[in-house]
Amino acid sequence: HGVETLVSRLSTEMDVSAVEETDTMDTDECPTEVSLHFSQRVLLYGLFTCLTVVFHQEPSSALATASSQTGSVQLRKPVLTKSVKKVMAHVVAYGGHIAYLVSTLLSDVMNNDPQIVRYVHSSGIAQAVLGMLMAVDGDSGNPLIPPVGDLITALPNVLAALALTEDGAQAVFDANPFPALLKIYHRGKYAMPENRCLLNDNTSFIGTGLEEIIRHTEKLKPLIIEAIVASLNEIKEHAESLSAREKEVPYQETDSLMNARSALIQYILNA
């Protein structure tokens, strides 16, 4: 009963983190604001880590499928469904590292048991994931996706899993989260000097994930290609804007200008 104990404790901690009601960026079943102490975030990280490890490589035998300990059986339980949806609905409060673990858990469970994909969509989990992907900050216009490399590289895998079934692929097609996902390639929030989350091979992992979606889900190919072209055009616009600033008279070498150059270099390398 180890898994059930973890899920039960997770549910308790998620309830503790909920405070007063609000109407911002919530799903119907998550109408609360979230406030976390550091110790709570650490505990939730540990609980989700344990569940992710347990669900990562489950045997596919009929005996294992019938077990109450499998990820698909546990995910169908209201307590885990609610917890997953709450993290995605309040991704800024819970943070990118916890959202990464939840994303990995979802990908693993759906890939191990594609029959769960229908439930993920019907229960509102998919809606919460897609909503998190497409949410933007009202002031800056930046995506709300936290600038955490592990989370960003995991998102294409979640989208691929959500599209494992024909109905799932249609739901992803209708939502079209790809333009929002690719904004991270050319937003300062995710680039040097402000953030290092896209350094190393992280951008190539995203590209590989999108390539896998194209390979396995032909329906989504046009959307991904259109999003890539739009992303490249936005990078071009950034370059033109920077060029215009450098031609201003009188010319001033400011920190803002130098930061814009650094960011543009990374945008181009990302592409």
Side-chain angles (χ1 to χ4, degrees), residues 8 22 203 250:
S8 176
T22 182
T203 52

Side-chain angles (χ1 to χ4, degrees), residues 24-27 30 84-92 128 132:
T24 58
M25 207 202 141
D26 295 319
T27 61
C30 303
V84 168
K85 290 167 64 176
K86 185 179 286 187
V87 170
M88 292 304 179
H90 302 281
V91 67
V92 175
M132 180 271 290

Side-chain angles (χ1 to χ4, degrees), residues 120-134:
V120 169
H121 284 276
S122 65
S123 66
I125 293 175
Q127 180 186 356
V129 173
L130 295 170
M132 180 271 290
L133 268 166
M134 296 186 291

Side-chain angles (χ1 to χ4, degrees), residues 211-231:
E211 183 181 7
E212 285 296 309
I213 295 175
I214 290 174
R215 185 181 305 166
H216 297 291
T217 314
E218 185 72 20
K219 184 180 187 68
L220 300 178
K221 180 177 179 179
L223 297 183
I224 295 174
I225 292 176
E226 288 174 9
I228 292 172
V229 172
S231 182

Side-chain angles (χ1 to χ4, degrees), residues 198-266:
L198 291 182
L199 295 184
N200 302 321
D201 295 325
N202 284 347
T203 52
S204 64
F205 292 148
I206 299 170
T208 300
L210 293 176
E211 183 181 7
E212 285 296 309
I213 295 175
I214 290 174
R215 185 181 305 166
H216 297 291
T217 314
E218 185 72 20
K219 184 180 187 68
L220 300 178
K221 180 177 179 179
L223 297 183
I224 295 174
I225 292 176
E226 288 174 9
I228 292 172
V229 172
S231 182
L232 292 173
N233 284 332
E234 290 200 39
I235 293 173
K236 177 187 172 190
E237 291 173 7
H238 282 295
E240 292 172 344
S241 175
L242 178 59
S243 177
R245 290 177 62 186
E246 291 179 328
K247 293 176 182 177
E248 291 177 353
V249 179
Y251 174 80
Q252 292 184 335
E253 186 78 11
T254 63
D255 289 342
S256 174
L257 191 61
M258 294 177 66
N259 290 344
R261 287 180 186 142
S262 297
L264 179 60
I265 290 171
Q266 188 171 347

Side-chain angles (χ1 to χ4, degrees), residues 79-134:
V79 290
L80 188 53
T81 294
K82 182 179 178 181
S83 297
V84 168
K85 290 167 64 176
K86 185 179 286 187
V87 170
M88 292 304 179
H90 302 281
V91 67
V92 175
Y94 285 105
H97 296 287
I98 291 178
Y100 155 68
L101 291 171
V102 173
S103 299
T104 301
L105 183 152
L106 287 174
S107 298
D108 288 342
V109 170
M110 287 188 282
N111 284 313
N112 286 332
D113 181 11
Q115 293 183 359
I116 193 69
V117 175
R118 179 185 295 273
Y119 174 80
V120 169
H121 284 276
S122 65
S123 66
I125 293 175
Q127 180 186 356
V129 173
L130 295 170
M132 180 271 290
L133 268 166
M134 296 186 291

Side-chain angles (χ1 to χ4, degrees), residues 175-186:
N176 190 14
F178 303 107
L181 175 62
L182 288 178
K183 283 186 184 296
I184 65 172
Y185 275 141
H186 49 79

